[in-house]
Structure formats: C-alpha cells, structure tokens
Amino acid sequence: MATSGRKPSGFVSLLLLLAGVLLFWMTVPNLGTAARAATADGPRGTFTAARLVCVGHSGHTSCEWSGTFRSDDGTVELTDVKLYGSGRDTFDAGQTAPAVDVGNVGRVYAPTGSRSWIITVVLVLVAYALLVAVARRHLMPPAVPGEKRPLDHHTL
C-alpha cells in the first residue's frame, strides 16, 4: 500500500503477483485431495508394505514405506504407492495396515485421516494475501498528503 503518495513499484508488484499466482496454481487444485485426506474420504482397504524408501536432504533423512493397496471390495488396486506418515520403524516388508485411497496419485492414507491439509490451506491464504496486496497497491486511490485514512495506525 502506498501511503506516501508515491506510485507503487511495478517490479515489486510483478513479483508479488507472480508469487501469488504461482502459489494459487500449485495449491488450489490440491484442495479437494487435501480435504479428502483430512477426512479419510475414499475407498478403504489394505496397504501391504514392500520396501522402505528414504530421501536425504539438508542433513535429514525422511523415510516412507512403499507397497500396494487393495480396496476392501477389490475394485481398486494400486502398486508402488506410499503410505503417508509411515516411517522407518512402522513396518517390516510384507506387513499390512488399513488404508484409504483419497485419490492422491502415488499415496494412500491411514483411516484416521491426515493433517497434510494444513500446509495447503496456509499456502492458499498466503497466495490470497499476496494478490490482495497487489490489488490494494494498484486499485486503491493514492493517499492525499495530510489526509487521515480510517485504518491508518498513525491516526490512532
């Protein structure tokens, strides 16, 4: 928001706009899957652990079990899927656990649901805030010097 009467920087506005659009583009299509994961909405079945898959980054190693999923009614069979939230000590190869297919490619979830939706919602809110900032910078009339704005914290 430009309150000094100066025109907002076009470069900064472009960066904010691009960041907001990119975040929306990355997160909004995943809102449905995130909601289904949170509520464990999908075909229930059994995950069978086959192998532990570990990825190392920044001095930290993250592991998940990969295996197969078969729905209880036999209509859904998935291979090479990971069980979200499984860790190094969760299974031995061949062990099974109840799971739910929420439609997230390559991943199934525990029947208790998941909190993975939180980051998706936070990123959508950040994207919204960035786009609102750009809109306010360019769509709000510039402040007149000496004019008091209703929400200006200097006038309180």
Side-chain angles (χ1 to χ4, degrees):
M1 293 181 295
T3 58
S4 65
R6 289 188 330 192
K7 184 177 177 183
S9 164
F11 179 71
V12 171
S13 294
L14 177 63
L15 290 178
L16 292 174
L17 178 66
L18 289 175
V21 169
L22 179 64
L23 280 175
F24 261 128
W25 178 73
M26 289 174 26
T27 55
V28 169
N30 297 319
L31 284 174
T33 303
R36 286 189 302 277
T39 59
D41 180 26
R44 295 182 180 277
T46 302
F47 172 79
T48 303
R51 63 187 170 87
L52 185 64
V53 178
C54 296
V55 177
H57 46 84
S58 304
H60 172 72
T61 301
S62 176
C63 298
E64 281 185 306
W65 278 91
S66 177
T68 59
F69 171 83
R70 179 179 168 93
S71 64
D72 291 337
D73 63 6
T75 59
V76 179
E77 288 191 38
L78 305 172
T79 59
D80 200 28
V81 293
K82 294 177 183 165
L83 179 62
Y84 179 84
S86 61
R88 184 181 304 270
D89 300 325
T90 308
F91 296 106
D92 287 322
Q95 279 187 301
T96 62
V100 178
D101 173 26
V102 300
N104 189 352
V105 177
R107 191 170 304 278
V108 293
Y109 294 81
T112 56
S114 162
R115 292 192 184 115
S116 63
W117 63 271
I118 295 170
I119 189 69
T120 303
V121 170
V122 167
L123 290 175
V124 167
L125 293 174
V126 169
Y128 178 77
L130 290 171
L131 295 176
V132 166
V134 171
R136 291 191 70 174
R137 288 170 65 96
H138 291 281
L139 300 178
M140 296 289 290
V144 176
E147 175 187 336
K148 292 183 179 183
R149 297 183 92 157
L151 296 177
D152 189 354
H153 66 281
H154 299 291
T155 60
L156 298 177

